Coordinates of all heavy atoms in Angstrom, one line a residue:
F1 N -102.4 49.7 46.6 CA -102.8 48.6 45.6 C -101.7 48.3 44.6 O -100.7 49.1 44.6 CB -104.0 49.1 44.9 CG -105.1 49.5 45.9 CD1 -105.5 50.8 46.0 CD2 -105.7 48.6 46.8 CE1 -106.4 51.2 46.9 CE2 -106.6 49.0 47.7 CZ -107.0 50.3 47.8
D2 N -101.9 47.4 43.9 CA -100.8 46.9 43.0 C -100.5 48.0 41.9 O -99.3 48.1 41.5 CB -101.2 45.7 42.2 CG -101.3 44.5 43.2 OD1 -100.7 44.6 44.3 OD2 -101.9 43.5 42.8
D3 N -101.5 48.8 41.6 CA -101.2 49.8 40.6 C -100.6 51.1 41.2 O -100.4 52.1 40.5 CB -102.5 50.2 39.8 CG -103.6 50.7 40.6 OD1 -103.4 50.9 41.9 OD2 -104.7 50.9 40.1
G4 N -100.4 51.1 42.5 CA -99.7 52.2 43.1 C -100.6 53.3 43.6 O -100.1 54.4 44.0
Y5 N -101.9 53.1 43.5 CA -102.9 54.2 43.9 C -103.5 53.8 45.3 O -103.5 52.7 45.7 CB -104.0 54.3 42.9 CG -103.6 55.1 41.7 CD1 -102.9 54.5 40.6 CD2 -103.9 56.4 41.6 CE1 -102.5 55.2 39.5 CE2 -103.5 57.2 40.5 CZ -102.8 56.6 39.4 OH -102.4 57.3 38.4
S6 N -103.9 54.9 46.0 CA -104.6 54.7 47.2 C -105.6 55.8 47.4 O -105.8 56.6 46.5 CB -103.6 54.6 48.4 OG -104.3 54.2 49.6
W7 N -106.2 55.9 48.5 CA -107.3 56.8 48.8 C -107.0 57.8 49.9 O -106.3 57.4 50.9 CB -108.6 56.1 49.1 CG -109.2 55.4 47.9 CD1 -108.8 54.2 47.4 CD2 -110.2 55.9 47.0 NE1 -109.5 53.9 46.2 CE2 -110.4 54.9 46.0 CE3 -111.0 57.1 47.0 CZ2 -111.3 55.1 45.0 CZ3 -111.9 57.2 46.0 CH2 -112.1 56.3 45.0
F8 N -107.4 59.0 49.8 CA -107.0 60.1 50.7 C -108.2 61.0 51.0 O -109.1 61.2 50.2 CB -105.9 61.0 50.1 CG -104.7 60.2 49.7 CD1 -104.6 59.6 48.4 CD2 -103.6 60.1 50.6 CE1 -103.5 58.8 48.1 CE2 -102.5 59.3 50.2 CZ -102.4 58.7 49.0
Y9 N -108.2 61.5 52.2 CA -109.2 62.5 52.6 C -108.5 63.8 53.1 O -107.3 63.7 53.5 CB -110.2 62.0 53.7 CG -109.5 61.6 55.0 CD1 -109.4 62.5 56.1 CD2 -109.0 60.3 55.1 CE1 -108.9 62.1 57.3 CE2 -108.4 59.9 56.3 CZ -108.4 60.8 57.4 OH -107.8 60.4 58.5
E10 N -109.2 64.9 53.0 CA -108.6 66.2 53.2 C -108.4 66.5 54.7 O -109.3 66.3 55.5 CB -109.6 67.2 52.6 CG -109.2 68.6 52.6 CD -110.3 69.5 52.0 OE1 -111.5 69.1 52.1 OE2 -110.0 70.5 51.4
G11 N -107.2 67.0 55.0 CA -106.9 67.6 56.3 C -106.5 69.0 56.1 O -106.6 69.6 55.0
V12 N -106.0 69.6 57.2 CA -105.4 71.0 57.1 C -104.1 70.9 56.3 O -103.2 70.2 56.7 CB -105.2 71.6 58.5 CG1 -104.5 72.9 58.5 CG2 -106.6 71.7 59.2
N13 N -104.0 71.7 55.3 CA -102.8 71.7 54.5 C -102.3 70.4 54.0 O -101.1 70.2 54.0 CB -101.7 72.5 55.3 CG -102.0 73.9 55.6 OD1 -102.6 74.6 54.7 ND2 -101.6 74.4 56.7
G14 N -103.1 69.5 53.6 CA -102.6 68.2 53.1 C -103.7 67.1 53.1 O -104.9 67.4 53.5
W15 N -103.2 66.0 52.8 CA -104.1 64.8 52.7 C -103.7 63.7 53.6 O -102.5 63.4 53.7 CB -104.1 64.3 51.2 CG -104.6 65.3 50.2 CD1 -103.9 66.3 49.6 CD2 -106.0 65.4 49.7 NE1 -104.7 67.1 48.8 CE2 -106.0 66.5 48.9 CE3 -107.1 64.7 50.0 CZ2 -107.1 66.9 48.2 CZ3 -108.3 65.1 49.3 CH2 -108.3 66.2 48.4
W16 N -104.7 63.1 54.2 CA -104.5 61.9 55.0 C -104.8 60.7 54.2 O -105.9 60.6 53.5 CB -105.4 61.9 56.2 CG -105.1 62.9 57.2 CD1 -105.7 64.1 57.4 CD2 -104.1 62.9 58.3 NE1 -105.2 64.8 58.4 CE2 -104.2 64.1 59.0 CE3 -103.1 62.0 58.7 CZ2 -103.4 64.4 60.1 CZ3 -102.3 62.3 59.7 CH2 -102.5 63.5 60.4
Q17 N -104.0 59.6 54.3 CA -104.4 58.4 53.6 C -105.4 57.7 54.5 O -105.3 57.7 55.7 CB -103.1 57.5 53.4 CG -103.3 56.3 52.6 CD -102.1 55.4 52.5 OE1 -101.0 55.8 53.0 NE2 -102.2 54.3 51.9
Y18 N -106.4 57.1 53.8 CA -107.3 56.2 54.6 C -106.6 55.0 55.1 O -105.6 54.6 54.5 CB -108.4 55.7 53.6 CG -109.6 56.7 53.3 CD1 -109.5 57.6 52.3 CD2 -110.7 56.7 54.1 CE1 -110.5 58.5 52.0 CE2 -111.7 57.6 53.8 CZ -111.6 58.5 52.8 OH -112.6 59.4 52.5
D19 N -107.1 54.5 56.2 CA -106.6 53.2 56.7 C -106.7 52.1 55.6 O -107.6 52.2 54.7 CB -107.3 52.8 58.0 CG -108.7 52.4 57.8 OD1 -109.0 51.2 57.5 OD2 -109.6 53.3 57.8
D20 N -105.9 51.1 55.7 CA -105.8 50.1 54.6 C -107.2 49.4 54.3 O -107.5 49.3 53.2 CB -104.8 49.0 55.1 CG -103.4 49.3 54.6 OD1 -103.2 50.4 54.1 OD2 -102.6 48.4 54.7
R21 N -107.9 49.1 55.4 CA -109.2 48.4 55.1 C -110.2 49.3 54.4 O -110.8 48.9 53.4 CB -109.8 47.9 56.5 CG -111.1 47.2 56.3 CD -111.7 46.9 57.7 NE -112.0 48.0 58.5 CZ -113.0 48.8 58.4 NH1 -113.9 48.6 57.5 NH2 -113.1 49.9 59.1
T22 N -110.2 50.6 54.8 CA -111.2 51.5 54.2 C -110.7 51.8 52.8 O -111.6 51.8 51.9 CB -111.2 52.8 55.0 OG1 -111.6 52.5 56.4 CG2 -112.3 53.7 54.4
S23 N -109.4 51.9 52.6 CA -108.9 52.1 51.2 C -109.3 51.0 50.3 O -109.7 51.2 49.1 CB -107.4 52.2 51.3 OG -106.9 53.5 50.9
R24 N -109.2 49.8 50.8 CA -109.6 48.6 49.9 C -111.0 48.6 49.6 O -111.5 48.3 48.5 CB -109.2 47.3 50.6 CG -107.7 47.1 50.6 CD -107.2 45.9 51.4 NE -105.8 45.9 51.6 CZ -104.9 45.6 50.6 NH1 -105.4 45.1 49.4 NH2 -103.6 45.7 50.8
E25 N -111.9 49.0 50.6 CA -113.3 49.0 50.4 C -113.7 50.1 49.4 O -114.5 49.9 48.5 CB -114.0 49.3 51.8 CG -114.0 48.0 52.7 CD -114.6 48.3 54.1 OE1 -114.7 49.5 54.4 OE2 -114.9 47.3 54.7
L26 N -113.0 51.2 49.5 CA -113.3 52.3 48.6 C -112.9 51.9 47.2 O -113.6 52.2 46.2 CB -112.5 53.6 49.0 CG -113.1 54.4 50.1 CD1 -112.1 55.4 50.6 CD2 -114.4 55.0 49.7
E27 N -111.8 51.2 47.0 CA -111.3 50.7 45.7 C -112.3 49.8 45.1 O -112.6 49.8 43.9 CB -109.9 50.1 45.9 CG -109.2 49.7 44.6 CD -108.7 51.0 43.8 OE1 -108.8 52.1 44.3 OE2 -108.2 50.7 42.7
T28 N -112.8 48.9 46.0 CA -113.8 47.9 45.5 C -115.1 48.6 45.0 O -115.6 48.3 43.9 CB -114.2 47.0 46.6 OG1 -113.0 46.3 47.0 CG2 -115.3 46.0 46.1
H29 N -115.6 49.6 45.7 CA -116.8 50.4 45.3 C -116.5 51.2 44.0 O -117.3 51.3 43.1 CB -117.3 51.3 46.4 CG -117.9 50.6 47.5 ND1 -119.2 50.0 47.4 CD2 -117.5 50.3 48.8 CE1 -119.5 49.4 48.6 NE2 -118.5 49.6 49.4
H30 N -115.3 51.8 44.0 CA -114.9 52.6 42.8 C -114.8 51.7 41.6 O -115.4 52.0 40.5 CB -113.5 53.2 43.1 CG -112.8 53.7 41.9 ND1 -113.2 54.9 41.3 CD2 -111.7 53.2 41.3 CE1 -112.3 55.1 40.3 NE2 -111.4 54.1 40.2
K31 N -114.2 50.5 41.7 CA -114.0 49.6 40.5 C -115.4 49.1 40.1 O -115.6 48.8 38.9 CB -113.1 48.5 40.9 CG -111.7 48.9 41.1 CD -110.8 48.4 39.9 CE -109.4 49.1 39.9 NZ -108.5 48.6 41.0
A32 N -116.3 49.0 41.0 CA -117.7 48.5 40.7 C -118.5 49.6 40.1 O -119.7 49.3 39.7 CB -118.3 47.9 42.0
G33 N -118.0 50.8 40.1 CA -118.8 51.9 39.5 C -119.9 52.5 40.4 O -120.8 53.2 39.9
H34 N -119.8 52.2 41.7 CA -120.8 52.7 42.6 C -120.6 54.3 42.8 O -119.5 54.8 42.8 CB -120.7 52.1 44.0 CG -121.0 50.6 43.9 ND1 -120.5 49.7 44.9 CD2 -121.6 49.8 43.0 CE1 -120.9 48.5 44.6 NE2 -121.5 48.5 43.4
S35 N -121.8 55.0 42.9 CA -121.7 56.4 43.0 C -121.5 56.9 44.4 O -121.0 58.0 44.7 CB -123.0 57.1 42.5 OG -124.1 56.6 43.2
S36 N -121.8 56.0 45.4 CA -121.5 56.3 46.8 C -121.4 55.0 47.6 O -121.8 54.0 47.1 CB -122.5 57.3 47.4 OG -123.7 56.6 47.6
C37 N -120.9 55.1 48.8 CA -120.9 54.0 49.7 C -120.9 54.5 51.1 O -120.6 55.6 51.4 CB -119.7 53.1 49.5 SG -118.1 53.9 49.7
E38 N -121.3 53.6 52.0 CA -121.4 53.9 53.5 C -120.4 53.0 54.1 O -120.4 51.7 54.0 CB -122.7 53.7 54.1 CG -123.8 54.6 53.5 CD -125.1 54.6 54.3 OE1 -125.2 53.9 55.3 OE2 -126.0 55.3 53.9
L39 N -119.4 53.5 54.9 CA -118.4 52.7 55.5 C -118.2 53.1 57.0 O -118.4 54.3 57.3 CB -117.0 52.9 54.8 CG -117.0 52.6 53.3 CD1 -115.6 52.9 52.7 CD2 -117.3 51.1 53.1
L40 N -117.9 52.1 57.8 CA -117.7 52.4 59.2 C -116.2 52.8 59.4 O -115.3 52.0 59.1 CB -118.0 51.1 60.0 CG -118.0 51.3 61.5 CD1 -119.1 52.3 62.0 CD2 -118.2 49.9 62.2
I41 N -116.0 54.0 59.9 CA -114.6 54.5 60.0 C -114.5 55.0 61.5 O -115.2 55.9 61.9 CB -114.3 55.6 59.0 CG1 -114.5 55.1 57.6 CG2 -112.9 56.2 59.3 CD1 -114.3 56.2 56.5
A42 N -113.6 54.4 62.2 CA -113.3 54.8 63.6 C -114.6 55.0 64.4 O -114.8 55.9 65.1 CB -112.5 56.1 63.6
G43 N -115.6 54.0 64.2 CA -116.8 54.0 65.0 C -117.9 54.8 64.5 O -119.0 54.8 65.1
Y44 N -117.7 55.5 63.4 CA -118.8 56.3 62.8 C -119.1 55.9 61.4 O -118.1 55.5 60.6 CB -118.4 57.8 62.7 CG -118.3 58.4 64.1 CD1 -117.0 58.5 64.8 CD2 -119.4 58.9 64.8 CE1 -116.9 59.1 66.0 CE2 -119.3 59.5 66.0 CZ -118.0 59.6 66.7 OH -117.9 60.1 67.9
V45 N -120.3 55.9 61.0 CA -120.7 55.6 59.6 C -120.5 56.9 58.8 O -121.0 58.0 59.1 CB -122.1 55.2 59.5 CG1 -122.5 54.9 58.0 CG2 -122.4 53.9 60.3
Y46 N -119.6 56.8 57.7 CA -119.4 57.9 56.8 C -120.0 57.5 55.4 O -120.0 56.4 55.0 CB -117.9 58.1 56.6 CG -117.3 58.9 57.7 CD1 -116.9 58.3 58.9 CD2 -117.1 60.3 57.6 CE1 -116.3 59.0 59.9 CE2 -116.5 61.0 58.6 CZ -116.2 60.4 59.8 OH -115.6 61.1 60.8
I47 N -120.6 58.5 54.8 CA -121.0 58.4 53.4 C -119.9 59.0 52.6 O -119.5 60.1 52.8 CB -122.3 59.1 53.2 CG1 -123.4 58.5 54.1 CG2 -122.7 59.1 51.7 CD1 -124.8 59.2 54.0
I48 N -119.4 58.2 51.7 CA -118.4 58.7 50.7 C -119.1 58.8 49.4 O -119.5 57.8 48.8 CB -117.1 57.8 50.7 CG1 -116.4 57.8 52.0 CG2 -116.2 58.3 49.6 CD1 -116.5 56.6 52.8
D49 N -119.2 60.0 48.9 CA -119.8 60.3 47.6 C -118.7 60.2 46.6 O -117.9 61.1 46.5 CB -120.4 61.7 47.7 CG -121.1 62.2 46.4 OD1 -120.7 61.6 45.4 OD2 -121.9 63.1 46.5
L50 N -118.8 59.1 45.8 CA -117.7 58.9 44.8 C -117.9 59.6 43.5 O -117.1 59.6 42.6 CB -117.6 57.4 44.5 CG -117.1 56.6 45.7 CD1 -117.3 55.1 45.5 CD2 -115.7 56.9 46.1
T51 N -119.1 60.3 43.4 CA -119.3 61.2 42.2 C -118.7 62.5 42.5 O -118.0 63.1 41.6 CB -120.8 61.3 42.0 OG1 -121.4 60.0 41.8 CG2 -121.1 62.1 40.7
N52 N -119.0 63.1 43.6 CA -118.5 64.5 43.9 C -117.2 64.4 44.7 O -116.6 65.4 45.0 CB -119.6 65.2 44.7 CG -120.8 65.4 43.9 OD1 -120.8 66.0 42.8 ND2 -122.0 65.0 44.4
M53 N -116.8 63.2 45.1 CA -115.6 62.9 45.8 C -115.5 63.8 47.1 O -114.6 64.6 47.3 CB -114.4 63.2 44.9 CG -114.3 62.2 43.7 SD -114.0 60.5 44.2 CE -112.2 60.4 44.3
V54 N -116.5 63.5 48.0 CA -116.5 64.1 49.3 C -117.0 63.0 50.3 O -117.7 62.1 49.9 CB -117.4 65.3 49.4 CG1 -116.8 66.5 48.7 CG2 -118.8 65.0 49.0
Q55 N -116.5 63.2 51.5 CA -117.0 62.3 52.6 C -117.7 63.1 53.7 O -117.3 64.3 53.9 CB -115.9 61.5 53.2 CG -114.9 62.3 54.0 CD -114.2 61.5 55.1 OE1 -113.6 60.5 54.8 NE2 -114.2 62.1 56.3
S56 N -118.7 62.6 54.4 CA -119.2 63.2 55.6 C -119.8 62.1 56.5 O -120.2 61.0 56.0 CB -120.3 64.2 55.2 OG -121.3 63.6 54.5
R57 N -119.9 62.4 57.8 CA -120.6 61.5 58.7 C -122.0 61.4 58.3 O -122.7 62.4 58.0 CB -120.4 62.0 60.1 CG -119.3 61.5 60.8 CD -119.3 61.8 62.3 NE -117.9 61.9 62.8 CZ -117.5 62.1 64.0 NH1 -118.4 62.4 64.9 NH2 -116.3 62.1 64.4
R58 N -122.6 60.2 58.4 CA -124.0 60.0 58.0 C -124.9 60.8 58.9 O -125.9 61.4 58.4 CB -124.3 58.6 58.0 CG -125.7 58.3 57.4 CD -126.0 56.8 57.3 NE -126.0 56.2 58.6 CZ -126.2 54.9 58.8 NH1 -126.4 54.1 57.7 NH2 -126.2 54.4 60.0
N59 N -124.6 61.0 60.2 CA -125.5 61.7 61.1 C -125.1 63.2 61.2 O -125.6 63.8 62.1 CB -125.5 61.0 62.4 CG -124.2 61.0 63.2 OD1 -123.3 61.6 62.7 ND2 -124.1 60.3 64.3
D60 N -124.1 63.6 60.4 CA -123.8 65.1 60.4 C -123.2 65.4 59.1 O -122.0 65.4 58.9 CB -122.8 65.4 61.5 CG -122.4 66.9 61.5 OD1 -123.0 67.6 60.7 OD2 -121.5 67.3 62.3
R61 N -124.1 65.7 58.1 CA -123.7 65.9 56.8 C -123.1 67.3 56.5 O -122.7 67.6 55.4 CB -124.8 65.7 55.8 CG -125.6 64.4 56.0 CD -124.7 63.2 55.7 NE -124.2 63.1 54.4 CZ -124.8 62.7 53.3 NH1 -126.1 62.2 53.4 NH2 -124.3 62.7 52.1
T62 N -123.0 68.1 57.6 CA -122.6 69.5 57.3 C -121.1 69.6 57.1 O -120.6 70.4 56.2 CB -122.9 70.4 58.6 OG1 -122.4 69.8 59.7 CG2 -124.4 70.5 58.7
K63 N -120.3 68.8 57.8 CA -118.8 68.8 57.6 C -118.4 67.8 56.5 O -118.6 66.6 56.6 CB -118.1 68.4 58.9 CG -116.7 68.1 58.8 CD -115.8 69.3 58.7 CE -114.3 68.9 58.6 NZ -113.4 70.0 58.3
K64 N -118.0 68.4 55.4 CA -117.6 67.6 54.3 C -116.1 67.8 54.0 O -115.6 68.9 54.1 CB -118.3 68.1 53.0 CG -119.9 67.8 53.0 CD -120.4 67.8 51.6 CE -121.9 67.7 51.6 NZ -122.6 66.8 52.6
R65 N -115.5 66.6 53.7 CA -114.1 66.7 53.4 C -113.9 66.2 51.9 O -114.6 65.2 51.6 CB -113.2 65.7 54.3 CG -113.2 66.2 55.7 CD -112.5 65.1 56.5 NE -112.5 65.4 57.9 CZ -111.6 66.0 58.6 NH1 -110.5 66.4 58.0 NH2 -111.7 66.3 59.9
R66 N -113.1 66.8 51.2 CA -112.8 66.3 49.9 C -112.0 64.9 50.0 O -111.3 64.7 51.0 CB -112.0 67.3 49.0 CG -112.8 68.5 48.6 CD -112.0 69.4 47.7 NE -110.8 69.9 48.4 CZ -109.7 70.3 47.8 NH1 -109.6 70.2 46.5 NH2 -108.7 70.8 48.5
V67 N -112.2 64.1 49.0 CA -111.5 62.8 49.0 C -110.8 62.7 47.6 O -111.3 63.3 46.6 CB -112.3 61.6 49.3 CG1 -113.1 61.8 50.6 CG2 -113.2 61.2 48.2
K68 N -109.8 61.9 47.5 CA -109.2 61.7 46.2 C -108.5 60.3 46.1 O -108.2 59.7 47.2 CB -108.2 62.8 45.8 CG -107.0 62.8 46.7 CD -106.0 63.8 46.2 CE -104.7 63.8 47.0 NZ -103.7 64.7 46.4
R69 N -108.5 59.8 44.9 CA -107.7 58.6 44.6 C -106.4 59.1 43.9 O -106.5 59.8 42.9 CB -108.5 57.7 43.7 CG -107.9 56.3 43.4 CD -108.8 55.5 42.5 NE -108.3 54.2 42.2 CZ -107.4 53.9 41.2 NH1 -107.0 54.8 40.4 NH2 -107.0 52.6 41.1
D70 N -105.3 58.7 44.5 CA -104.1 59.3 44.0 C -102.9 58.3 44.2 O -103.1 57.3 44.9 CB -103.8 60.7 44.6 CG -103.0 61.6 43.8 OD1 -102.4 61.1 42.8 OD2 -102.9 62.8 44.1
L71 N -101.8 58.7 43.6 CA -100.6 57.8 43.8 C -100.2 57.7 45.2 O -100.2 58.8 46.0 CB -99.4 58.4 43.0 CG -99.6 58.1 41.5 CD1 -98.5 58.9 40.7 CD2 -99.4 56.7 41.1
L72 N -99.9 56.5 45.7 CA -99.6 56.3 47.1 C -98.3 57.1 47.5 O -98.3 57.5 48.6 CB -99.4 54.8 47.3 CG -99.0 54.4 48.7 CD1 -100.0 54.9 49.7 CD2 -99.0 52.8 48.8
N73 N -97.4 57.2 46.6 CA -96.1 57.8 47.0 C -96.1 59.3 46.8 O -95.1 59.9 46.7 CB -95.0 57.1 46.3 CG -95.0 57.3 44.8 OD1 -95.9 58.0 44.3 ND2 -94.1 56.8 44.1
L74 N -97.3 59.9 46.7 CA -97.3 61.3 46.5 C -96.7 62.0 47.7 O -96.8 61.6 48.8 CB -98.7 61.9 46.2 CG -99.6 62.3 47.4 CD1 -100.8 63.1 46.9 CD2 -100.0 61.1 48.1
T75 N -96.0 63.1 47.4 CA -95.4 63.9 48.5 C -96.5 64.7 49.1 O -97.4 65.1 48.5 CB -94.2 64.7 48.0 OG1 -94.7 65.5 46.9 CG2 -93.1 63.9 47.5
G76 N -96.3 65.1 50.3 CA -97.3 65.9 51.0 C -98.3 65.2 51.8 O -99.2 65.8 52.4
R77 N -98.3 63.9 51.7 CA -99.2 63.0 52.5 C -98.9 63.3 54.0 O -97.8 63.2 54.5 CB -99.0 61.6 52.2 CG -99.7 60.6 53.0 CD -99.6 59.2 52.4 NE -98.2 58.7 52.3 CZ -97.8 57.5 52.7 NH1 -98.7 56.6 53.2 NH2 -96.6 57.1 52.6
K78 N -100.0 63.6 54.8 CA -99.8 63.9 56.2 C -99.5 62.7 57.1 O -98.8 62.8 58.0 CB -101.0 64.7 56.8 CG -101.3 66.0 56.1 CD -102.3 66.8 56.8 CE -101.8 67.4 58.1 NZ -102.7 68.4 58.7
G79 N -100.1 61.6 56.7 CA -100.0 60.4 57.5 C -101.2 59.5 57.1 O -101.8 59.7 56.1
V80 N -101.4 58.5 57.9 CA -102.5 57.5 57.7 C -103.5 57.5 58.8 O -103.2 57.3 59.9 CB -101.9 56.1 57.6 CG1 -103.0 55.1 57.3 CG2 -100.8 56.0 56.5
A81 N -104.8 57.9 58.4 CA -105.9 57.9 59.3 C -105.6 58.6 60.6 O -106.0 58.2 61.7 CB -106.3 56.4 59.6
G82 N -104.9 59.8 60.5 CA -104.7 60.6 61.6 C -103.4 60.3 62.3 O -103.0 61.1 63.3
L83 N -102.6 59.3 61.9 CA -101.3 59.0 62.5 C -100.3 59.7 61.6 O -100.1 59.3 60.4 CB -101.1 57.5 62.6 CG -102.0 56.7 63.4 CD1 -101.7 55.2 63.4 CD2 -102.0 57.2 64.9
K84 N -99.5 60.6 62.2 CA -98.6 61.4 61.4 C -97.4 60.6 60.9 O -96.9 59.7 61.7 CB -98.1 62.6 62.2 CG -99.2 63.7 62.3 CD -98.7 64.9 63.0 CE -99.9 65.9 63.1 NZ -99.6 67.0 64.1
I85 N -96.9 60.9 59.8 CA -95.6 60.3 59.3 C -94.5 61.1 60.0 O -94.5 62.3 60.0 CB -95.5 60.6 57.8 CG1 -96.6 59.8 57.0 CG2 -94.1 60.1 57.3 CD1 -96.6 60.2 55.6
S86 N -93.7 60.3 60.7 CA -92.6 61.0 61.5 C -91.4 61.2 60.6 O -91.2 60.6 59.6 CB -92.3 60.2 62.7 OG -92.1 58.8 62.4
Ligands
V3L101 N1 -110.4 58.3 58.6 C1 -110.0 58.5 59.9 N2 -110.5 59.6 60.7 C2 -111.3 60.4 60.1 C3 -111.8 60.2 58.8 C4 -111.3 59.1 58.0 N3 -111.6 58.9 56.8 N4 -112.6 61.2 58.5 C5 -112.7 62.0 59.5 N5 -111.9 61.5 60.5 P1 -115.3 64.9 60.5 P2 -105.7 67.9 60.5 C6 -108.9 64.0 61.0 C7 -111.7 62.1 61.9 O1 -114.9 65.2 59.1 O2 -104.6 68.4 61.5 C8 -107.5 63.4 60.7 O3 -107.4 62.0 60.6 C9 -111.0 63.4 61.8 O4 -109.6 63.1 61.8 O5 -116.1 66.1 61.2 O6 -106.9 68.8 60.6 C10 -106.7 63.8 62.0 O7 -106.8 62.8 63.0 C11 -111.6 64.2 62.9 O8 -110.8 64.0 64.1 O9 -116.1 63.7 60.6 O10 -105.2 67.7 59.1 C12 -107.5 65.1 62.5 O11 -108.7 65.2 61.6 C13 -112.9 63.5 63.2 O12 -113.0 62.3 62.5 C14 -106.7 66.4 62.4 O13 -106.2 66.5 61.0 C15 -114.1 64.4 62.8 O14 -114.0 64.7 61.4

């Protein structure tokens, strides 16, 4: 985004950046002050809890990943939506 921030979800030993469309949707919900949202990601509906900053699949709430809004150019970013930075 223009202010240099984007959205990330937790992976092993680092953070993945959300794909652009999902990042924009998260930013819109965040700016609107919503406490959570449901988004279609790679064919699955995920619930992103913007209060506790975790995401999980709607039909399997057991696996939770932390999420964060952080500077886009942070070091340690693993890649974007599962695509590794080479
Ligand atoms: N965007 C894209 N794919 C996702 C997302 C998301 N927001 N959330 C989960 N998945 P779960 P390492 C991740 C994928 O939580 O080596 C990474 O993107 C998730 O992909 O049970 O562990 C990598 O592709 C996983 O494949 O819903 O850091 C991969 O893990 C699948 O959905 C390995 O990353 C189930 O995750």
Side-chain angles (χ1 to χ4, degrees):
F1 309 111
D2 292 341
D3 61 2
Y5 282 82
S6 190
W7 288 82
F8 302 86
Y9 60 95
E10 186 179 28
V12 171
N13 295 325
W15 296 87
W16 294 98
Q17 191 182 352
Y18 280 88
D19 69 89
D20 269 8
R21 180 184 58 82
T22 305
S23 244
R24 286 173 193 284
E25 289 174 342
L26 284 168
E27 188 72 3
T28 299
H29 287 286
H30 166 72
K31 291 251 165 73
H34 297 160
S35 57
S36 71
C37 58
E38 294 191 6
L39 300 177
L40 188 63
I41 300 172
Y44 294 94
V45 178
Y46 280 82
I47 297 176
I48 295 111
D49 179 337
L50 295 170
T51 303
N52 298 305
M53 296 296 272
V54 291
Q55 68 153 54
S56 58
R57 268 187 207 182
R58 189 173 62 183
N59 65 6
D60 178 8
R61 308 296 301 277
T62 54
K63 167 74 179 175
K64 293 200 189 318
R65 293 173 188 268
R66 290 187 295 156
V67 311
K68 65 174 182 175
R69 183 180 187 273
D70 207 344
L71 286 169
L72 179 54
N73 65 2
L74 88 166
T75 54
R77 173 171 61 133
K78 297 190 74 168
V80 180
L83 299 178
K84 287 183 181 165
I85 298 171
S86 49

